[in-house]
């Protein structure tokens, strides 16, 4: 049956052509693809703004702090201005941290090449309400090259395009593992926690590799916004965010639901350890190291590439400084100083009340002398200098020092910060700080010169003067061994030679004396007895030392001291024999180390190696040594110094030498010590008890301790507390006791090595008189007000 034209028209209407729609679809689709391609191409060409070059992608310039590393591989601290960052390789990231990051930030991380198409489409369709689309690679691109997202929509779109381009480039240049490590290393977690390593140390007190699952979840949760998710300010919010991360880990099978539930129930366990220049281990040493590094940088120019700095920058270049400090021994030293000085300060305050001492903390000074000290301290203060720089008149500055001000000051009674808030005038605060006794301690391995511990004061935040190397004080009797060494070396004296304890004078005109020099013993008495040199040094008999320097002469003694590493202009006069000249702890430890090292002086060493951020060695130390004494003389000196701890002023190291042990337990921190191993040492006390010293040695460790006031007029009134055996020796004893409790430190308990053929007589058993604790110790006990 034929079809009519009318029916054909109806049939045509029922089958419309889709070709125009299909054609336009492919045109638009192709145009979109082309637009995307052109957009990427234009972005790559820098049309939308500068893009990183291939070289910058290969070597992104991130600012890295200089890291100070102990001899046992621990980080002592960092040197930085703004960014406390130290890179960590992927191999040191715990699996829990990696899994938490992927589950929370980029679930398809291992499946894309920098851009997550599914995530991007989801973000476009739902306008970001169901999650963003930034991959880890894009977030790294933003951190390294793009910067903070603009609030301008057009600029934000351009930034996003640049992120996409850079992310794909990063994926071509780096492995997934490297990108992940770079991202975690670049992120700012707040509180100077720049990068994952600083964050792990500051928030949890551990290295990244030691983080557990819930700790990893906290840090990954902070990646969303470290200012908002701040565990120190918003603990509950951070806990909720941590649990969200744990839920994501369970969702993607990294942990079980049971593990998620148990970990989510845990409370936050933040172990906050802020890293600042005034806190952390070895702050005095770290500040010394800054100066040392600054000098090294001046003498060692950087092999600069085009566009780079021609000098190393200790704040930005990520140097690694390998030091000789042992973190465990450093901790022991700081604890010993803190424990004894807190105890000693109580007694000093007790003796320095206005009722007992109206001019406290000064003794034996006229009012005019005190005013002069306070005036000098005021003008040297930071407050004065800051106001002076602002152009404030001297009259206004002086008035400000008499106005009460809120301030935070040091106080031994407020552990663990040792700070209290108070109100006082700046002038009163100067006097307040002068009432605190100061301390210094350095410990060195004599065979290598490696410095193992360095404590320059009682609290760096409040007392920044480093008494190890900046401060020099009268050495007292700790200088006497250098006189004995010169006599044994030059005159072949023996520790068994005898000298009478009688008044001895060196006449005017001899050895450079302007007038006769007739030194007295510390108690002002002369026993009339004959002392072996060993007994005389052990009991610190001044008259015997005077006879020795008269025989050998001051010049050989000064030469000996300089060969042992003591510097400065040491006068060639007899009075130096009793330690009237000033020396610092650093030099004294180096000098004593010569005795323990069989007569070879080794200059103290603090830095063994410097590396750049890539591990290239920039510096390696070369030991500075010289032969000063023969093995015979050095061993004779060690034998002399052993006598100090066997029956002289250092005998309290051995145990209950005193009948009234209860008294000594109160006076001497940690007493009794009851060491039984061979120890060589020397106490030192200066005039008016202004300085207390103890130099102590075992075969592989030499340690020097000094304690005193900031001013020489700040001191104890009696030798009971003011002598080196009371002020300094306890720090050595506490330190060594802790060292011996850790067998890994391998601090020797053996005897000192004896030369095979010893030509100097040291066995004085036939002639040596019984060594005793100096009489003044017992006499002064009667004067103590308990």
């Amino acid at each position: 049956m034929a079809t009519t034209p009318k029916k054909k028209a109806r049939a045509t209407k029922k089958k419309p052509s889709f070709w125009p729609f299909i054609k336009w679809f492919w045109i638009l689709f192709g145009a979109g693809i082309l637009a995307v391609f052109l957009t990427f191409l234009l972005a790559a060409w820098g049309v939308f703004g500068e893009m990183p070059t291939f070289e910058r992608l290969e070597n992104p310039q991130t600012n890295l702090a200089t890291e100070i590393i102990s001899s046992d591989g621990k980080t002592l601290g960092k040197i930085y201005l703004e960014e406390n960052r130290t890179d960590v390789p992927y191999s040191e990231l715990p699996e829990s941290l990696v899994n938490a990051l992927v589950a929370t930030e980029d679930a398809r991380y291992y499946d894309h090449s920098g851009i997550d198409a599914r995530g991007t489409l989801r973000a476009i369709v739902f306008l970001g309400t169901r999650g963003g689309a930034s991959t880890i690679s894009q977030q790294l691109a933003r951190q390294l090259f793009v910067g903070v997202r603009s609030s301008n929509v057009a600029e934000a779109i351009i930034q996003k395009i640049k992120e996409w381009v850079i992310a794909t480039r990063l994926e071509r240049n780096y492995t997934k593992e490297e990108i992940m490590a770079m991202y975690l290393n670049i992120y700012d977690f707040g509180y100077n926690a720049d990068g994952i390593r600083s964050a792990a140390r500051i928030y949890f007190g551990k290295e990244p590799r030691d983080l557990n699952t819930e700790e990893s979840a906290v840090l990954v949760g902070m990646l969303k916004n470290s200012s908002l998710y701040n565990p120190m300010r918003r603990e509950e919010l951070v806990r909720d965010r941590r649990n969200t991360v744990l839920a994501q880990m369970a969702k993607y099978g990294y942990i079980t639901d049971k593990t998620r539930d148990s970990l989510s129930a845990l409370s936050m366990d933040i172990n906050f350890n802020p890293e600042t220049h005034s806190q952390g281990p070895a702050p005095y040493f770290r500040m010394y190291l800054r100066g040392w590094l600054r000098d090294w940088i001046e003498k060692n120019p950087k092999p600069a590439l085009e566009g780079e700095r021609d000098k190393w920058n200790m704040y930005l270049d990520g140097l690694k400084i390998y030091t000789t400090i042992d973190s465990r021994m450093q901790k022991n030293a700081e604890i010993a100083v803190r424990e004894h000085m807190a105890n000693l300060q109580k007694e000093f305050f007790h003796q320095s009340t206005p009722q007992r001492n109206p001019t406290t903390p000064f003794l034996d000074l006229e009012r005019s002398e005190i005013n002069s000290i306070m005036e000098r301290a005021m003008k040297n203060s930071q407050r004065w200098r800051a106001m002076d720089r602002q152009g404030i008149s001297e009259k206004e500055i002086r008035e400000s020092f008499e106005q009460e001000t809120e301030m935070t000051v040091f106080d031994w009674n407020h552990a663990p910060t040792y700070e209290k808030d108070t109100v006082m005038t700046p002038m009163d605060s100067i006097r307040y700080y002068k009432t605190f006794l100061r301390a210094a301690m350095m410990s060195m391995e004599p065979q290598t010169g490696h410095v193992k511990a360095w404590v320059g004061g009682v609290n760096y935040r409040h007392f920044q003067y480093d008494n190890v190397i900046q401060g020099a004080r009268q050495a007292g009797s700790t200088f006497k061994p250098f006189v004995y060494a010169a006599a044994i070396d030059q005159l072949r004296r023996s520790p068994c030679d005898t000298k009478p304890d009688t008044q001895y004078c060196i006449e005017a005109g001899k050895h450079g004396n302007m007038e006769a020099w007739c030194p007295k013993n510390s108690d002002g008495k002369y026993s009339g007895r004959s002392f072996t040199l060993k007994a005389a040094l052990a009991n610190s008999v001044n008259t015997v030392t005077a006879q020795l320097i008269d025989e050998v002469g001051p010049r050989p003694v000064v030469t000996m001291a300089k060969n042992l590493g003591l510097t400065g202009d040491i006068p060639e006069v007899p009075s130096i024999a009793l330690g009237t000249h000033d020396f610092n702890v650093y030099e004294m430890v180096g000098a004593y180390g010569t005795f323990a090292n069989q007569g070879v002086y080794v200059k103290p060493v603090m830095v063994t190696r410097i590396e750049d951020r890539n591990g290239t060695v920039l510096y390696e130390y070369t030991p500075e040594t010289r032969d000063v004494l023969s093995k015979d003389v050095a061993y004779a000196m060690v034998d002399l110094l052993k006598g100090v701890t066997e029956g002289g002023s250092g005998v309290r190291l051995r145990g209950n030498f005193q009948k009234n042990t209860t008294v000594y337990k109160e006076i001497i921190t940690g007493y009794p010590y009851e060491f039984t191993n061979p120890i060589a040492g020397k106490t030192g006390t200066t005039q008016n008890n202004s300085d207390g010293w103890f130099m102590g040695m075992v075969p592989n460790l030499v340690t020097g301790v000094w304690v005193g006031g900031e001013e020489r007029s700040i001191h104890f009134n009696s030798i009971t507390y003011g002598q080196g055996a009371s002020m300094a020796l306890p720090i050595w004893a506490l330190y060594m006791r802790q060292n011996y409790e850790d067998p890994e430190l391998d601090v020797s308990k053996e005897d000192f090595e004896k030369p095979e053929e010893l030509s100097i007589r040291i066995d004085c058993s036939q002639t040596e008189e019984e060594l005793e604790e100096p009489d003044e110790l017992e006499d002064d006990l009667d004067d103590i007000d308990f």
Side-chain angles (χ1 to χ4, degrees):
M1 184 176 176
T3 306
T4 64
K6 193 171 185 179
K7 287 182 179 181
K8 284 184 177 181
R10 274 202 301 268
T12 302
K13 287 181 181 179
K14 287 181 181 179
K15 296 180 180 179
S17 173
F18 290 100
W19 169 245
F21 297 102
I22 295 173
K23 181 177 68 174
W24 279 106
F25 169 80
W26 285 108
I27 290 173
L28 293 174
F29 180 79
I33 295 295
L34 182 62
V36 171
F37 175 77
L38 288 174
T39 300
F40 271 75
L41 188 62
L42 293 172
W45 287 346
V47 172
F48 300 135
E50 184 182 1
M51 295 290 283
T53 62
F54 175 80
E55 289 76 14
R56 283 189 66 198
L57 283 172
E58 285 290 309
N59 299 283
Q61 292 297 307
T62 56
N63 294 333
L64 298 180
T66 288
E67 184 178 9
I68 303 170
I69 303 169
S70 70
S71 61
D72 55 321
K74 304 295 183 182
T75 298
L76 294 174
K78 299 176 187 177
I79 302 174
Y80 61 92
L81 285 178
E82 295 180 356
E83 298 184 38
N84 176 24
R85 178 180 293 105
T86 304
D87 282 353
V88 177
Y90 179 84
S91 60
E92 293 188 22
L93 299 177
E95 185 179 6
S96 61
L97 182 67
V98 172
N99 293 340
L101 178 61
V102 172
T104 307
E105 296 292 322
D106 193 350
R108 287 175 290 279
Y109 177 64
Y110 296 107
D111 300 325
H112 62 68
S113 298
I115 300 174
D116 182 4
R118 286 173 56 186
T120 302
L121 184 60
R122 181 194 63 220
I124 293 172
V125 171
F126 295 100
L127 301 178
T129 58
R130 295 192 181 181
S134 289
T135 63
I136 293 174
S137 304
Q138 288 174 238
Q139 293 181 55
L140 175 61
R142 184 191 311 153
Q143 293 276 351
L144 285 175
F145 304 110
V146 178
V148 180
R149 178 76 72 239
S150 173
S151 57
N152 182 284
V153 176
E155 291 180 358
I157 292 173
I158 292 174
Q159 286 180 319
K160 194 65 179 178
I161 293 170
K162 292 172 70 175
E163 280 179 26
W164 286 338
V165 174
I166 296 171
T168 57
R169 287 185 174 182
L170 289 171
E171 291 273 353
R172 289 198 299 268
N173 283 277
Y174 297 98
T175 65
K176 291 287 187 178
E177 290 76 14
E178 289 172 332
I179 290 173
M180 186 176 293
M182 290 170 66
Y183 175 59
L184 290 171
N185 284 324
I186 200 71
Y187 193 81
D188 180 2
F189 290 86
Y191 294 106
N192 289 325
D194 297 297
I196 192 63
R197 183 155 188 251
S198 293
R201 289 169 56 85
I202 288 174
Y203 291 113
F204 297 107
K206 57 178 66 174
E207 294 296 325
R209 61 177 173 270
D210 300 321
L211 293 169
N212 57 36
T213 301
E214 62 269 27
E215 291 166 344
S216 296
V218 170
L219 296 180
V220 168
M222 293 176 68
L223 293 171
K224 187 173 184 179
N225 185 332
S226 60
S227 296
L228 177 62
Y229 296 102
N230 182 330
M232 306 310 298
R233 294 183 177 180
R234 302 180 182 91
E235 184 173 334
E236 283 303 312
L237 185 64
V238 175
R239 185 174 180 271
D240 292 342
R241 178 62 182 163
R242 177 202 68 180
N243 292 347
T244 298
V245 174
L246 293 172
Q248 288 293 106
M249 294 179 72
K251 176 181 177 181
Y252 290 103
Y254 292 116
I255 59 174
T256 64
D257 290 343
K258 183 178 180 180
T259 301
R260 175 202 60 199
D261 294 339
S262 63
L263 294 180
S264 297
L266 296 176
S267 60
M268 295 284 289
D269 188 18
I270 300 296
N271 178 18
F272 190 55
N273 296 275
E275 291 187 352
T276 67
H277 299 309
S278 62
Q279 295 174 305
Y284 291 94
F285 173 74
R286 288 187 280 118
M287 289 307 106
Y288 161 78
L289 199 57
R290 275 193 176 198
W292 184 95
L293 190 57
R294 193 175 293 113
D295 291 340
W296 180 84
I297 287 172
E298 287 296 322
K299 299 173 184 176
N300 295 271
K302 181 180 181 181
L305 299 174
E306 185 178 353
E308 289 190 353
R309 298 178 292 268
D310 61 354
K311 279 188 177 182
W312 294 105
N313 190 312
M314 73 175 80
Y315 305 109
L316 306 175
D317 285 340
L319 301 176
K320 290 186 183 295
I321 315 298
Y322 292 89
T323 73
T324 61
I325 297 292
D326 186 292
S327 67
R328 299 158 297 182
M329 297 174 79
Q330 178 67 32
K331 181 180 179 181
N332 292 344
E334 291 175 358
I335 290 173
V337 169
R338 185 166 61 244
E339 185 176 339
H340 177 61
M341 293 306 295
N343 189 40
L344 191 66
Q345 190 68 47
K346 290 179 184 177
E347 181 58 30
F348 188 73
F349 281 149
H350 176 66
Q351 296 184 20
S352 301
T353 60
Q355 294 76 19
R356 291 170 178 256
N357 177 19
T359 60
T360 188
F362 308 100
L363 273 174
D364 309 319
L365 288 186
E366 299 293 333
R367 178 60 61 181
S368 60
E369 295 174 301
I370 295 174
N371 290 341
S372 178
I373 291 174
M374 296 297 291
E375 174 80 5
R376 184 176 66 250
M378 177 177 65
K379 288 188 174 182
N380 287 335
S381 68
Q382 292 183 0
R383 183 186 186 87
W384 181 287
R385 292 197 297 268
M387 296 180 75
D388 186 54
R389 284 194 298 268
Q390 296 172 19
I392 300 174
S393 68
E394 181 173 331
K395 179 183 178 182
E396 291 177 295
I397 296 175
R398 288 183 178 277
E399 289 175 351
S400 75
F401 274 82
E402 301 299 335
Q403 297 172 0
E404 288 195 340
T405 306
E406 292 183 357
M407 61 181 70
T408 301
V409 298
F410 179 77
D411 190 335
W412 280 118
N413 296 318
H414 287 72
T417 62
Y418 300 103
E419 292 181 337
K420 69 174 182 181
D421 294 328
T422 188
V423 175
M424 64 174 71
T425 69
M427 205 65 180
D428 286 340
S429 74
I430 292 175
R431 183 182 289 267
Y432 173 77
Y433 273 101
K434 285 189 179 294
T435 63
F436 287 95
L437 297 173
R438 314 300 166 89
M441 174 184 180
M442 191 179 101
S443 195
M444 182 191 80
E445 186 177 73
Q447 290 76 24
T448 62
H450 287 191
V451 175
K452 294 298 181 183
W454 178 306
V455 184
V458 295
N459 183 286
Y460 181 79
R461 180 174 170 83
H462 292 275
F463 305 94
Q464 297 189 0
Y465 189 78
D466 187 350
N467 291 287
V468 166
I469 200 165
Q470 287 180 301
R473 295 292 287 258
Q474 286 187 353
S477 294
T478 56
F479 188 86
K480 289 178 181 177
F482 309 138
V483 180
Y484 281 69
I488 294 174
D489 184 55
Q490 299 290 316
L491 307 177
R492 305 308 293 173
R493 291 283 183 255
S494 161
C496 301
D497 291 348
T498 60
K499 296 287 182 184
D501 176 22
T502 56
Q503 185 176 22
Y504 190 87
C505 291
I506 299 177
E507 64 269 24
K510 187 177 183 181
H511 300 316
N513 267 351
M514 298 298 293
E515 54 186 38
W517 183 59
C518 306
K520 298 179 180 179
N521 290 324
S522 59
D523 59 0
K525 302 173 184 177
Y526 308 100
S527 68
R529 297 164 48 194
S530 288
F531 281 83
T532 63
L533 296 191
K534 186 172 184 177
L537 184 63
N539 290 281
S540 217
V541 182
N542 291 341
T543 56
V544 173
T545 308
Q547 294 172 61
L548 288 178
I549 198 167
D550 188 20
E551 292 177 2
V552 72
R555 178 168 293 178
V557 173
V558 171
T559 301
M560 175 65 68
K562 288 185 176 295
N563 287 337
L564 292 171
L566 302 183
T567 62
D569 186 15
I570 308 174
E572 295 179 1
V573 294
S575 61
I576 63 171
L578 303 186
T580 55
H581 196 67
D582 293 350
F583 301 101
N584 60 39
V585 174
Y586 170 86
E587 291 183 350
M588 290 293 286
V589 171
Y592 271 72
T594 308
F595 301 141
N597 193 34
Q598 300 185 314
V600 179
Y601 170 79
V602 182
K603 185 177 180 180
V605 176
M606 284 71 72
V607 177
T608 58
R609 189 170 79 255
I610 300 176
E611 295 179 357
D612 67 11
R613 66 171 68 191
N614 299 314
T616 302
V617 176
L618 306 176
Y619 164 85
E620 282 189 294
Y621 90 106
T622 302
E624 295 183 38
T625 67
R626 57 176 172 267
D627 293 336
V628 179
L629 302 169
S630 67
K631 290 183 178 181
D632 282 14
V633 174
Y635 187 78
M637 287 306 305
V638 167
D639 187 70
L640 281 169
L641 293 167
K642 283 166 66 177
V644 174
T645 69
E646 291 167 355
S649 57
V651 73
R652 64 184 63 186
L653 289 171
R654 299 301 179 185
N656 298 329
F657 72 91
Q658 193 68 39
K659 293 180 181 178
N660 192 345
T661 57
T662 302
V663 169
Y664 270 82
K665 284 180 181 178
E666 294 184 19
I667 295 176
I668 311 302
T669 312
Y671 178 85
Y673 306 116
E674 300 179 336
F675 291 103
T676 58
N677 56 295
I679 299 171
K682 186 69 189 82
T683 59
T685 309
T686 61
Q687 190 174 12
N688 297 327
N689 313 308
S690 294
D691 307 278
W693 289 80
F694 183 71
M695 307 296 300
M697 302 188 298
V698 295
N700 64 348
L701 196 64
V702 177
T703 304
V705 183
W706 168 87
V707 174
E710 182 183 16
E711 311 285 342
R712 289 190 54 79
S713 55
I714 300 172
H715 56 79
F716 282 106
N717 198 28
S718 75
I719 199 171
T720 302
Y721 288 95
Q723 63 179 294
S726 298
M727 290 212 294
L729 179 146
I731 292 176
W732 188 92
L734 295 170
Y735 168 65
M736 291 299 290
R737 177 188 286 170
Q738 292 178 86
N739 286 343
Y740 283 134
E741 289 174 357
D742 186 350
E744 291 186 2
L745 295 178
D746 196 28
V747 178
S748 176
K749 288 189 175 181
E750 304 300 317
D751 204 348
F752 295 83
E753 183 179 351
K754 185 177 181 179
E756 292 182 2
E757 296 182 5
L758 185 62
S759 62
I760 300 173
R761 181 185 169 210
I762 63 170
D763 183 3
C764 309
S765 58
Q766 300 298 319
T767 59
E768 182 177 7
E769 301 202 28
E770 184 179 357
L771 300 178
E772 299 176 353
E773 172 75 4
D775 292 338
E776 73 246 7
L777 295 184
E778 294 190 25
D779 293 342
D780 285 331
L781 283 175
D782 297 332
D783 300 329
I784 301 174
D785 180 9
F786 291 104

